[in-house]
Amino acid sequence: MSVEQAHRRGFAPGQILFGGDWSPEQWDRATWEEDLALMQEARVNTVTLGVFSWSALEPTEGAFVTDWLDEILERLADAGIGFFLATPTASPPPWFTRAHPDALPVRPDGVRLTHGSRDTYAISAPAYREAARRITRRLADRYGHHPGLRGWHLHNEYGTLDHGPHAEHAFQAWLEDRYGTIEALNAAWCTAFWSQGYASFEEITPPRTTQYLPNPSQAIDFRRFSSDEMLAAMVEQREEIRAAGSTAPVTTNFMLPTWNHLEQWSWAEREDVVSLDHYLDTAGPDAEAHVAYGSDLARSWSGGPWVLMEQNATGIRVDGRTLAKGADRMIRHSLGYIARGSQSSLFFQWRQSAGGAEQWHGALVPHAGGRSRVFASIARLGGILERLAPVAALPADGPLVRAEVGILWHADGWWALETPDLPSSHLTYSAEVRATHRSFWRAGIPVDFVRPLADLSAHRLLVVPAQYPLSDDQVSWFEEYVEGGGELVVTYLSGLADEHLRIATGGYPGRLRRLLGVRGQELLPLPAGERVALSDGSEVEGWTELLGVEDAEVLARYTHGDLAGLPAVTRARRGEGRAVYVSAGWTQEARDRRLAEIAAELGIGPTLPGAAEAGLEAVRRRGDGMDFLFLLHHGERPLTVRAVGDDLITGASARDGLRLAQGGAAVLTLAPDAPVELVED
Ligand code: GAL
């Protein structure tokens, strides 16, 4: 384990961090007073400062104004509240962009964005990088040793792509470093197609708006380059902080679920603690599964505890409407993140803005002020979180949540499926991965996400959803896993191409044919709304393949239609293990049933048998010498759970049964691995 990983695993602030982004620069002193009093009332112990404060900190070039922040930090210290300090580099101030118009990002269509919103920076522009280093160093020199500093929040949600001249040069250098020779790049990118053969790296541009379809290899390399370039910018900030002697943990907030411009595994290696902003995209029952999905990703990227840096306290934005989340649900969700490794429940934002672009975004103190239903629910959450302080202590060894199921995650899969003109444009990586995760969540089975080439000794089942490109190393890694006794489940759209998005010919999925023992001839997306039945009683939608079996058994065949009698799901035995290929798009119901059955065959079961079916989410988080069983009741009828342990929230014993009302939650302290049962009413 590297020193940085050791740091990250050790992120144990001794309490659950509670609070949110606070923007005192938007308010007068009287409001500061009120805010501090309300924070104490709600038991807030952490705020995030400075996220978009560049123009307040450096109103003109080189003139730093920090007295307001000094004063705020003093007040926070008096109130016993710690803080994350952000570097404000996501939003350069007007003077900067006036002086350096070349540091504004350029869209693929050549339009250079203008100032007026946020995140308008060209990541490769030297002037931007220089100014970002300078403000970072200034903050680190001044505040890097502050006793209230919980950590550095670098930038905010890195993710602005730039297609301008600075990016062009940096992309060329990145490509030269990756490929060495232009001949190697031409071969990898198949530039013989459409007369794209390059004579030198200087001829290459970022993928810009062009007459028709872009080169997919160029497009995915540009995504990889952009992630690396933003990471380099983050690492520079980290260097400034360390050079100033500040040893506080460093993080940057990842963003889910709508876009993905970062390759999170490599980023996580350069952070001391992983943090996540998580915004729900559905107000239906799937919101709970989504909380679990975001949390499992963040814990996995981290390899240990992590920080929920932002969530919305009150609303879920769906189809242009902000729908109410509800107090009980907000509390259950907050606990759901903590159950899966978060050391915090932090929100965007503390006080709802009176002006600016996000004046209608939810907050802990709404426009109505502290005398409000929203604030009352926040104060209730604060009381609960204070009682959960023991949860923040970390186990001496082993994972925070034990999982025997792994799901492969890699940004390459996401970016590859954004290639235009695939056989179906109606498939997205995140939808496939979420559908897989949802199945295990619905079964109450804990999962980790895993990185390609990871050590899989803890995972008896590995599911690979829609990982379209696979490198030689990754293929060998799967082979070794299966030979050694692992159960691999590969879904359609995986292994069709190499890492350059060149199709592996001779039969689909070319990269995995030998391992899976199959040979597909045709990829056959289904028309919208059409479902086809399989012989095992399940149904598929969206995608089918004309598949032949070479060295595998057939688990399910099509029962009718053009493919009637042909295999859809297969399983090959290799060494000590087995490799399942799901060549068609299981419906969610089919996926739920079949993945639960495969897990059951391996003896992998739910955390609390019977709970998930009744709407009770049960997650066991390991602590220092004890386990914490989080019970989040999303279902409708009251339930009783029995265990030798007490509820941290109410102090009630569960020895003779603990009753959970609809919408309720409990956190039981248990001896490690102590049994728990759901009692029938
Ligand atoms: C986040 C961002 C915040 C705020 C929030 C609104 O992605 O970091 O600054 O814009 O979204 O949901």
Side-chain angles (χ1 to χ4, degrees):
M1 191 193 305
S2 68
V3 176
E4 293 195 337
Q5 279 168 330
H7 259 287
R8 190 163 72 233
R9 283 179 193 277
F11 189 77
Q15 59 190 327
I16 299 295
L17 305 182
F18 172 51
D21 286 41
W22 187 29
S23 306
E25 68 271 30
Q26 292 174 21
W27 301 97
D28 58 18
R29 283 198 161 59
T31 315
W32 294 6
E33 297 304 332
E34 190 186 321
D35 279 342
L36 287 160
L38 288 172
M39 284 179 196
Q40 286 181 297
E41 187 182 332
R43 299 177 172 83
V44 162
N45 57 33
T46 306
V47 293
T48 302
L49 295 165
V51 179
F52 295 109
S53 309
W54 199 339
S55 66
L57 290 165
E58 193 182 0
T60 56
E61 183 160 14
F64 293 95
V65 177
T66 46
D67 46 345
W68 66 273
L69 188 52
D70 294 348
E71 189 180 337
I72 285 292
L73 296 187
E74 241 172 69
R75 301 288 187 84
L76 285 169
D78 291 346
I81 298 171
F83 62 94
F84 279 98
L85 186 56
T87 57
T89 51
S91 275
W95 61 257
F96 174 80
T97 41
R98 284 249 163 214
H100 305 285
D102 64 303
L104 285 161
V106 177
R107 294 194 320 207
D109 62 1
V111 170
R112 190 179 283 283
L113 300 181
T114 49
H115 200 96
S117 180
R118 66 171 181 188
D119 296 310
T120 34
Y121 54 86
I123 196 71
S124 310
Y128 170 73
R129 295 280 275 272
E130 167 68 36
R133 280 187 101 122
R134 203 174 57 224
I135 183 88
T136 301
R137 182 56 182 264
R138 191 77 187 202
L139 291 171
D141 283 338
R142 191 163 187 89
Y143 304 112
H145 297 90
H146 196 290
L149 179 63
R150 297 203 186 282
W152 288 99
H153 172 303
L154 302 186
H155 199 87
N156 191 68
E157 298 178 344
Y158 278 98
T160 299
L161 300 187
D162 171 42
H163 299 74
H166 292 303
E168 180 171 314
H169 291 129
F171 185 40
Q172 289 166 354
W174 184 92
L175 290 169
E176 192 159 3
D177 192 45
R178 183 176 174 94
Y179 291 102
T181 65
I182 198 68
E183 291 74 26
L185 177 138
N186 280 320
W189 286 14
C190 292
T191 55
F193 189 78
W194 284 350
S195 180
Q196 289 180 359
Y198 294 102
S200 73
F201 287 97
E202 287 72 50
E203 291 179 357
I204 301 173
T205 65
R208 298 196 179 117
T209 306
T210 182
Q211 198 280 338
Y212 185 42
L213 302 173
N215 183 324
S217 314
Q218 179 187 9
I220 196 167
D221 269 349
F222 184 71
R223 304 303 295 274
R224 293 171 176 144
F225 152 76
S226 297
S227 174
D228 285 356
E229 186 74 352
M230 290 186 276
L231 176 56
M234 186 197 82
V235 169
E236 283 169 14
Q237 294 198 9
R238 182 191 174 99
E239 284 166 3
E240 293 297 335
I241 283 165
R242 294 294 181 247
S246 175
T247 55
V250 161
T251 188
T252 187
N253 45 348
F254 292 150
M255 163 71 178
L256 277 177
T258 40
W259 45 266
N260 182 23
H261 297 311
L262 311 181
E263 193 289 278
Q264 293 87 358
W265 299 108
S266 54
W267 281 66
E269 282 176 359
R270 311 309 294 268
E271 299 177 78
D272 302 312
V273 59
V274 163
S275 62
L276 181 72
D277 297 349
H278 200 238
Y279 290 95
L280 303 177
D281 57 3
T282 167
D286 204 44
E288 280 67 46
H290 194 200
V291 168
Y293 169 74
S295 310
D296 284 336
L297 272 172
R299 188 190 65 257
S300 303
W301 289 328
S302 158
W306 57 284
V307 167
L308 177 72
M309 194 61 88
E310 293 180 19
Q311 62 167 327
N312 186 336
T314 58
I316 304 178
R317 187 82 181 162
V318 187
D319 288 339
R321 293 183 181 84
T322 304
L323 306 176
K325 197 182 258 187
D328 284 351
R329 205 173 190 199
M330 179 275 291
I331 290 172
R332 288 201 311 281
H333 288 181
S334 298
L335 297 177
Y337 294 112
I338 296 164
R340 290 179 158 81
S342 175
Q343 298 291 56
S344 69
S345 185
L346 299 172
F347 294 81
F348 179 83
Q349 57 179 337
W350 164 254
R351 182 180 280 275
Q352 193 168 24
S353 301
E358 290 183 334
Q359 56 192 262
W360 294 110
H361 195 283
L364 308 190
V365 181
H367 288 147
R371 270 192 309 115
S372 60
R373 186 170 74 159
V374 167
F375 183 73
S377 69
I378 291 303
R380 179 149 72 94
L381 174 64
I384 292 173
L385 296 181
E386 204 170 61
R387 293 193 282 277
L388 296 195
V391 174
L394 302 175
D397 50 36
L400 274 181
V401 176
R402 268 195 215 289
E404 295 182 294
V405 176
I407 300 175
L408 185 74
W409 166 280
H410 197 274
D412 272 357
W414 185 306
W415 297 329
L417 287 200
E418 288 181 346
T419 303
D421 255 25
L422 293 176
S424 168
S425 305
H426 299 278
L427 302 164
T428 62
Y429 180 71
S430 68
E432 288 297 314
V433 178
R434 269 172 78 171
T436 300
H437 182 272
R438 184 181 295 121
S439 290
F440 290 107
W441 183 84
R442 287 183 177 177
I445 297 173
V447 304
D448 289 325
F449 287 94
V450 300
R451 169 184 200 164
L453 312 186
D455 172 6
L456 290 173
S457 46
H459 300 111
R460 291 195 289 136
L461 171 59
L462 174 66
V463 186
V464 180
Q467 194 65 34
Y468 178 97
L470 289 176
S471 66
D472 288 347
D473 283 358
Q474 292 165 357
V475 172
S476 313
W477 173 63
F478 289 145
E479 288 171 353
E480 278 162 31
Y481 173 68
V482 177
E483 294 278 337
E487 180 96 358
L488 180 74
V489 175
V490 174
T491 79
Y492 70 108
L493 284 168
S494 297
L496 290 171
D498 69 6
E499 68 270 38
H500 306 295
L501 306 189
R502 289 180 300 202
I503 302 302
T505 57
Y508 305 123
R511 306 290 288 153
L512 296 173
R513 265 188 55 209
R514 198 179 55 188
L515 175 60
L516 299 173
V518 297
R519 181 167 176 273
Q521 295 181 46
E522 294 174 33
L523 307 178
L524 301 166
L526 292 171
E530 190 170 318
R531 289 184 166 196
V532 182
L534 302 186
S535 55
D536 65 355
S538 56
E539 282 188 319
V540 296
E541 61 191 357
W543 187 271
T544 60
E545 292 176 15
L546 173 61
L547 189 71
V549 167
E550 301 207 316
D551 180 16
E553 60 179 313
V554 177
L555 297 183
R557 295 178 188 277
Y558 296 95
T559 56
H560 60 273
D562 286 352
L563 299 176
L566 294 176
V569 184
T570 62
R571 183 166 59 195
R573 284 175 194 279
R574 300 281 180 268
E576 303 294 305
R578 302 184 300 190
V580 174
Y581 182 47
V582 186
S583 73
W586 269 334
T587 59
Q588 185 70 53
E589 300 71 38
R591 204 183 290 243
D592 293 352
R593 183 170 65 80
R594 292 295 293 125
L595 287 176
E597 283 169 3
I598 291 171
E601 275 179 37
L602 300 170
I604 300 173
T607 302
L608 178 55
E613 296 82 334
L616 177 64
E617 181 174 359
V619 187
R620 201 166 186 130
R621 174 172 164 158
R622 299 177 61 246
D624 185 13
M626 64 180 90
D627 286 357
F628 301 99
L629 183 72
F630 282 71
L631 297 166
L632 311 173
H633 192 14
H634 314 302
E636 273 158 23
R637 83 192 151 77
L639 294 168
T640 303
V641 171
R642 191 159 48 211
V644 180
D646 300 334
D647 177 13
L648 270 180
I649 299 177
T650 60
S653 167
R655 192 177 286 266
D656 300 320
L658 184 82
R659 191 97 172 137
L660 280 157
Q662 175 190 6
V667 181
L668 301 185
T669 46
L670 303 173
D673 302 320
V676 190
E677 59 172 335
L678 193 63
V679 186
E680 282 303 321
D681 280 336

